[in-house]
Amino acid sequence: MELIIQNNLAACISQVSISGALSTESGSPVGNALVTLNGSDSLTTMGDGLFLFEFLQAGGDYTILPSKLSDVDNGVTTFDMVLITRHILGLVPLDSPYKLIAADANRSGSVSTLDLVDIRKVVLGLQPEFTNNSSWRFIDKNYHFPDPADPFGEPFPEFLSFNNLSGIEIADFIAVKTGDVNGSADPLE
């Protein structure tokens, strides 16, 4: 007698997924961030900064959008204002595109004294959020800035899209805390 075992459910199990990590420029994982899939499904990252959307429909189109709106003053201090002032005056330039993006508190596409005004209002508790900006921004980790000294020269990707998804995709992002150019923000807060 011969016994044949078949797994007829295997055809229903999808091997199509999107996973990724949210981390700061220095590599610290970002927790308590919301990662949204196609504008509706979402999950919150834990202390490891990882996320996974699995069992997705093969051949589908998907967009991943991370966000974190809490604790606008996390890591934002007068020392950041000093560093930004030194940059504006040309004394000590901010040395990475991510620091420049963090310094652009009003999201104007440049770093100016108007950003310092916005940061100062947050530091003093006079305003609960940045004007025209979110508390954190997330940039595709694989994106290479054409001119790292001017990351605003062209739009940088703050979401990732996958068309005709057919396997396992990775969507990693660099997290930038608005107003925090010295990296003192707690990414798990």
Side-chain angles (χ1 to χ4, degrees):
M1 174 177 202
E2 183 176 317
L3 178 62
I4 299 174
I5 299 175
Q6 283 185 299
N7 180 359
N8 292 328
L9 295 176
C12 298
I13 297 176
S14 170
Q15 295 300 317
V16 177
S17 64
I18 301 172
S19 66
L22 308 180
S23 59
T24 62
E25 182 180 16
S26 65
S28 298
V30 177
N32 296 314
L34 187 69
V35 182
T36 305
L37 176 73
N38 286 358
S40 59
D41 294 331
S42 62
L43 52 85
T44 301
T45 60
M46 303 307 279
D48 58 8
L50 302 176
F51 63 89
L52 170 65
F53 293 99
E54 56 186 342
F55 307 115
L56 302 175
Q57 181 67 40
D61 297 336
Y62 298 95
T63 299
I64 299 288
L65 176 66
S67 63
K68 185 171 181 173
L69 305 174
S70 63
D71 299 316
V72 70
D73 60 348
N74 177 10
V76 182
T77 65
T78 54
F79 185 56
D80 294 302
M81 295 174 61
V82 169
L83 296 174
I84 295 167
T85 301
R86 289 178 182 170
H87 172 81
I88 292 169
L89 295 174
L91 301 174
V92 182
L94 295 172
D95 61 358
S96 87
Y98 303 108
K99 290 177 184 176
L100 291 165
I101 292 166
D104 181 21
N106 65 4
R107 206 171 183 158
S108 66
S110 66
V111 178
S112 71
T113 55
L114 294 175
D115 296 303
L116 290 171
V117 170
D118 227 18
I119 292 169
R120 182 182 178 117
K121 288 179 182 177
V122 166
V123 168
L124 295 175
L126 300 174
Q127 109 184 358
E129 58 191 30
F130 290 108
T131 305
N132 197 36
N133 207 347
S134 57
S135 182
W136 289 81
R137 296 178 75 179
F138 296 88
I139 295 113
D140 175 9
K141 184 176 183 177
N142 294 320
Y143 179 72
H144 297 284
F145 294 93
D147 181 2
D150 181 17
F152 310 110
E154 68 178 41
F156 44 84
E158 296 188 74
F159 61 89
L160 283 171
S161 293
F162 301 96
N163 296 317
N164 196 23
L165 191 65
S166 62
I168 299 168
E169 292 289 345
I170 304 296
D172 292 337
F173 292 87
I174 298 291
V176 176
K177 174 63 184 81
T178 303
D180 175 28
V181 297
N182 70 344
S184 64
D186 180 354
L188 300 178
E189 191 174 296

